[in-house]
Amino acid sequence: MSDHVRQAVVDFRPGGGGIARRELAASRISAARSALANCQLCALRCGANRLAEGRGPCGAGLDTSYFTAQLESGDELQLTPTFAIALSGCNLRCKFCITGESSWNPRAGRLLDIPTVVRCAIKALEKGARSIMVLGGEPTIHCPALLSLVSTLPDSARLAIKTNGYYTLEARELLGGLFDDWVIDYKFGNNTCAASVAMAQDYLPVLHENLAWAATSSHLIIRHLLLPGHVDCCWQPIARWIATNIPDVELNLNLAYWPAWQALRCNGIGRLLSDDERRKALVISREFSLNLIQ
Ligand code: SF4
């Protein structure tokens, strides 16, 4: 076990302790709001004062907007159909983001009206939705809104959070113990690709720490979207890291890349995957005996 993995396990402080999830979430809202005065929720650690209209690289303030809240069926089979609530704004700048226009703009869509969204979520559950998923953009930059949401949703609902995994210990302490499933994107296998394609600094140590924490504290699903030209530099080391550190983790390998948003302007990722790249990716999965899921 690497030092980062060991530290993440040590960091984990179970939040449940017999307290109902709603109550636990409600008890943390005030701390989450205070944390916005010197925001350290993501690994960019910009320290913006979001209570005083300060804005960091993510552009998010005190308010949270969302750009969709609807039943969706494109996620992992065990979660789908899911009522997916997509919060606006993100701390990363992935050039290939499929929802880039809304994801990058924290004011896209409409202000999050929690009673209305919760009513729709409950209706969806009554109609047979298996889970409720919060995503983005990046949901962990909106800890106060997440806590308000969880404090209002039924304790019995299966709650999933889908994140880019670029959050901090401070976010983990606010969100730990509240979600049944952490669905984390493992986007890049090295820091150079992470910096050039998504403007993520020091990406791997942060991601590895958060993956280890999620694997220990909840049910973790890892997603990887294979990028064209990134089999050897990204997928291969990702597969190796998973096989070495969390070999049984459920892994959703997406081979259906589409050059969305600004991908056409970014070197190398403005095309579809080749058949050869897809084949090679699957060979690597088999070599490392990864636990692929759909
Ligand atoms: S979430 Fe936004 S404001 Fe907070 S540290 Fe990250 S970039 Fe800065």
Side-chain angles (χ1 to χ4, degrees), residues 35-36 38-50 54-61 90-92 138 140-142 166 168:
L36 297 187
N38 171 22
C39 187
Q40 307 284 335
L41 290 177
C42 90
L44 295 175
R45 290 195 176 280
C46 72
N49 182 354
R50 292 168 54 178
R55 296 276 190 267
C58 71
C90 190
N91 49 349
L92 296 187
E138 172 52 31
T140 61
I141 68 173
H142 296 291
Y166 198 59
T168 56

